[in-house]
Amino acid sequence: MRSPQLFMVLLGATPKGRNIEQHDIFFGIGTSIKDLLPEMLAFWPEAKDKIHVDAYRIVNKVGDYKVEVVVKGEEVKEDTTSLFFLNLGGYKQGEFEELHYKMLVVANQKALAIKEAKETAFYKHTGFKGATSHIDDKFGVDVDDIFEIKDILSAQTKSKYTLKFSSGSDLLEDELILGYIPISKLR
């Protein structure tokens, strides 16, 4: 049996009353993307059966850190390091769109995660006077605009698992699985 892994999933749907496809990011722990279907449906109930997966990633590496899922009760050394999810928003002159850059950062403080986000090419080069780059939901950077993954996992998942981080070198980059996957293929 495979070990549980942390999944980052880009969900898409066109809920009733919407004119364009909407997206959200879901984090869950399981041995496969199919394991996560009940939690994904519960996460976005308004999407009903119109929900689909546009992309996903099994999170094994973030920066210079190995990310591991540990079953609660197994001994894990006390650590203040956390995994943060940031959703950066920005604009390009002449484009009728808010662009987004989603990133994960391992740090021991939100302020350090924000500092790393401000160093990205996206943050530095996406925006112009009157339409600056920002961490969504605010213009400017505020520590309340990012999420610790441990806080946004479902209660059921948090009761079973915790995350462990260890620095390492020569870690393989996570594979991004891209493309439309209807829920019927996950059943």
Side-chain angles (χ1 to χ4, degrees):
M1 183 173 180
R2 283 198 259 172
S3 298
Q5 298 174 299
L6 176 64
F7 286 77
M8 177 179 179
V9 184
L10 175 63
L11 297 174
T14 307
K16 187 176 180 171
R18 300 293 97 206
N19 294 323
I20 62 172
E21 183 176 332
Q22 312 288 292
H23 291 95
D24 206 341
I25 297 290
F26 167 83
F27 289 90
I29 293 175
T31 58
S32 73
I33 188 79
K34 289 180 183 189
D35 289 351
L36 302 176
L37 183 57
E39 280 190 64
M40 288 187 287
L41 292 171
F43 171 75
W44 199 355
E46 307 82 20
K48 303 197 187 296
D49 280 343
K50 305 239 186 278
I51 200 169
H52 62 271
V53 172
D54 279 315
Y56 71 91
R57 161 187 179 183
I58 298 171
V59 182
N60 294 302
K61 175 194 182 294
V62 174
D64 293 331
Y65 288 90
K66 179 178 181 180
V67 178
E68 296 174 87
V69 173
V70 178
V71 175
K72 284 258 175 119
E74 291 182 11
E75 192 166 321
V76 177
K77 185 179 86 174
E78 182 93 16
D79 191 358
T80 60
T81 306
S82 291
L83 179 60
F84 294 93
F85 166 64
L86 295 92
N87 184 30
L88 306 178
Y91 306 92
K92 286 191 177 179
Q93 192 79 41
E95 288 190 29
F96 191 75
E97 186 68 53
E98 179 184 2
L99 305 170
H100 286 95
Y101 180 71
K102 294 152 190 66
M103 65 182 293
L104 296 174
V105 175
V106 174
N108 60 8
Q109 296 175 23
K110 285 184 180 182
L112 295 174
I114 290 171
K115 182 179 179 188
E116 190 169 324
K118 287 177 144 183
E119 295 302 316
T120 64
F122 181 92
Y123 190 86
K124 290 179 179 180
H125 302 293
T126 310
F128 52 92
K129 187 175 176 136
T132 57
S133 298
H134 59 280
I135 294 177
D136 267 5
D137 295 316
K138 299 200 188 233
F139 288 89
V141 179
D142 188 308
V143 296
D144 295 329
D145 300 324
I146 66 176
F147 301 96
E148 283 190 64
I149 299 305
K150 67 182 180 184
D151 293 339
I152 59 175
L153 291 170
S154 72
Q156 178 185 358
T157 297
K158 287 190 271 192
S159 72
K160 293 184 202 174
Y161 304 107
T162 190
L163 298 174
K164 176 183 169 186
F165 311 100
S166 52
S167 58
S169 58
D170 300 326
L171 299 172
L172 296 176
E173 293 295 326
D174 292 345
E175 178 183 5
L176 301 179
I177 293 80
L178 306 172
Y180 180 86
I181 305 170
I183 60 166
S184 61
K185 294 222 174 176
L186 298 178
R187 291 193 165 146

